[in-house]
Amino acid sequence: MILQALHAYCLRKMRDPDPARRLPAAGLEEKEIPFILELAADGRLIGISDTRTQEGKKKIARRFLVPQGVKKTSGVAANLLWDTAEYVLGFDTKGKPERVAEQTAAFRRRVEEVAQRAPDDAGLQAVLAFLSSEPLAAAQGQSAWAEIAEANPLLSFRLASEDAVDLVCQRPAVVAAIASPSEPTAAAAQGLPCLITGGNAEPERLHSAIKGVWGAQTSGANIVSFNLDAFRSFGKEQGANAPVSPAAAFAYTTALNYLLTKGSHQRMQVGDASTVFWAQSEADADFENAFAAFFNDQHDDPDAHTAQVRALLGAVHSGRFGGTAGERRFFVLGLAPNAARISIRFWHAAPLAEVGERIQRWFDELDIAGGAKDPAYPSLFRLLTAVALQGKADNIPPNLGGDVMRAILSGTPFPALWLNAAVQRCRAEQRVTHLRAAAIKACLLRSHPLSPQEDPKAMLDRDNPNAAYRLGRLFAVLEKIQEEANPGLNATIRERYYGAASSTPVAVFTTLLRLKNHHLAKLTNRGRATNFEKLIGEITGGIADFPLHLPLPEQGRFALGYYHQRQDFFTKHEAADAGADPAVDAPAAAATPAQPSLI
């Protein structure tokens, strides 16, 4: 299913009307070629063109459409009409002249094979003539040789003429020769069915490497590969164990490499999972471009993330995904490195309407009251770093990002690890931030639902009968009384008692309520002390007894009750309620100091 979806996406992108976004046809790929050898018709080297342009501190080479490269291992394997200076010129960079001789021979052999199918092409004849002369000596006389000798870059050929704009490998006769079918093999005659297209074809022995997966080998890794006897069935070799035709293997690897390209708008990093996504139809290209914005911050334009999310929610409500448009499928693929291979962290394929509703549900569950600087639609990255030690992405628990993303898209419960990490961070730092509160609320709503009266709301719920939620509120009130009784305290009861109060309330609250009497006695504003007493009575009126121990979900509700009550203290209420609520005279700006940005 994954490879079929990638194969279909590649075919769709091959028909893209925009040449810049069009994927190459079968047998070709785009490659950065820094230097081009300009040849005369008789094979003389006229010059070496430098295709690089300065971008920032680096020189970036121009990308050319060239024959698909072979899979490089420790052995000798030459590409067709393009390769490194070792293969093309016979330049020895490692002090191994015998190996260089094998490389140049392999490179020439591949050119000769194509020349047999296009014997009249002037470009191929010029390349063969150049290779038959002294190519290394000719290149050493050029001004660009110093940089070539230093970096051993990729080289290719161009036939110099008045209208020469294409490389030799791009000439029509050469492209036709490359695409022409070779002699049928025994495997093709047997007619092994391709697992992607269903047609009979000779299976591709080795699939192209997938590059761009975070943490994988820089040379690339594979999704489909067989290199040990334990992976083989019935004595079959390599790709014959999972037969895929060369064209289909080219299509799915090209599509995946395109999606994983650096700077791609259709990839994002979720924890350790490199995530790519694409739509079934070209008509949903706008959703493809916006999907990453739903879960990632856009540092160039901080408001773009909020605008994209609001646009999506508006689209869901307006019926943008209704009818047949909503039935078109959307694909999300999470990949993680595993030595020389790539493991599938998660895979989700669903109708567009379902994906839109799931994303809307995600943001509804995260919705919680916050300060003016708190994000209305927090990114997944921020939510994950908020529960990591020291707020660092490196400390995000492995697999957590992928598991959360899978839960978002599939509508299943969030991983227990996420709630545990959020509660533990609150206890360890004695601080319930906006992002942690949002994560806890989402986990409780989806994974630990109670009655509608006890489920957490976006803001303070005075009627919530849950004992843990009320204890959290009570703890916030006691802290507020202490703060007003002793202004300028360096540490409050939160630093000393939060962890114990959220896990073993009975061991702490008797002491805290006794201290409360001393703190109230210090308040000079007796009307305010009376309001505090009324608020404590309202909260404790719904608590039958202090529990001996609170399990993890209840500790989450304690944190939410504490957070809601603190936010309510620092929220400006209507003038009509000013005399009835102790929170009314506090400035709203004071609600945010305990919630610094974690990025």
Side-chain angles (χ1 to χ4, degrees), residues 227-281:
N227 66 336
L228 295 176
D229 291 345
F231 307 146
R232 297 161 52 187
S233 300
F234 303 105
K236 295 180 179 177
E237 295 289 341
Q238 297 286 357
N241 291 278
V244 175
S245 67
F250 168 83
Y252 94 78
T253 54
T254 300
L256 196 48
N257 278 319
Y258 170 77
L259 293 170
L260 287 166
T261 304
K262 184 179 180 181
S264 169
H265 296 294
Q266 291 175 245
R267 71 163 292 172
M268 59 181 174
Q269 194 66 33
V270 181
D272 66 340
S274 299
T275 306
V276 297
F277 40 85
W278 66 96
Q280 181 182 19
S281 170

Side-chain angles (χ1 to χ4, degrees), residues 454-493:
E454 291 186 85
D455 277 338
K457 307 294 188 298
M459 55 184 63
L460 179 65
D461 182 9
R462 300 178 188 278
D463 299 325
N464 193 321
N466 184 269
Y469 184 81
R470 284 179 175 259
L471 287 174
R473 290 184 59 197
L474 178 60
F475 189 80
V477 174
L478 298 178
E479 183 190 17
K480 181 67 175 172
I481 294 173
Q482 185 193 26
E483 288 175 345
E484 296 198 7
N486 303 286
L489 276 179
N490 291 328
T492 65
I493 60 172

Side-chain angles (χ1 to χ4, degrees), residues 316-330:
V316 173
H317 286 297
S318 65
R320 153 76 168 76
F321 303 122
T324 55
E327 297 175 0
R328 295 193 291 264
R329 300 176 74 79
F330 192 79

Side-chain angles (χ1 to χ4, degrees), residues 375-400:
Y377 304 104
S379 68
L380 181 56
F381 178 76
R382 284 195 176 208
L383 290 165
L384 293 176
T385 53
V387 302
L389 180 64
Q390 298 178 333
K392 294 182 178 178
D394 293 339
N395 295 331
I396 296 174
N399 302 345
L400 179 59

Side-chain angles (χ1 to χ4, degrees), residues 429-442:
E429 299 179 11
Q430 299 90 38
R431 205 156 53 105
V432 185
T433 64
H434 174 258
L435 295 175
R436 289 174 192 159
I440 291 172
K441 175 174 176 278

Side-chain angles (χ1 to χ4, degrees), residues 184-205:
T185 63
Q190 290 176 0
L192 291 178
C194 174
L195 296 180
I196 295 178
T197 62
N200 290 344
E202 178 184 5
E204 182 76 336
R205 180 173 173 272

Side-chain angles (χ1 to χ4, degrees), residues 26 45 70 111 122 174 187 244 307 329 372 378 417 423 452:
L45 180 63
V70 296
V111 178
V174 178
V244 175
R329 300 176 74 79
L417 177 62
V423 171

Side-chain angles (χ1 to χ4, degrees), residues 15 86 271 428:
R15 301 189 297 268
E86 285 182 327

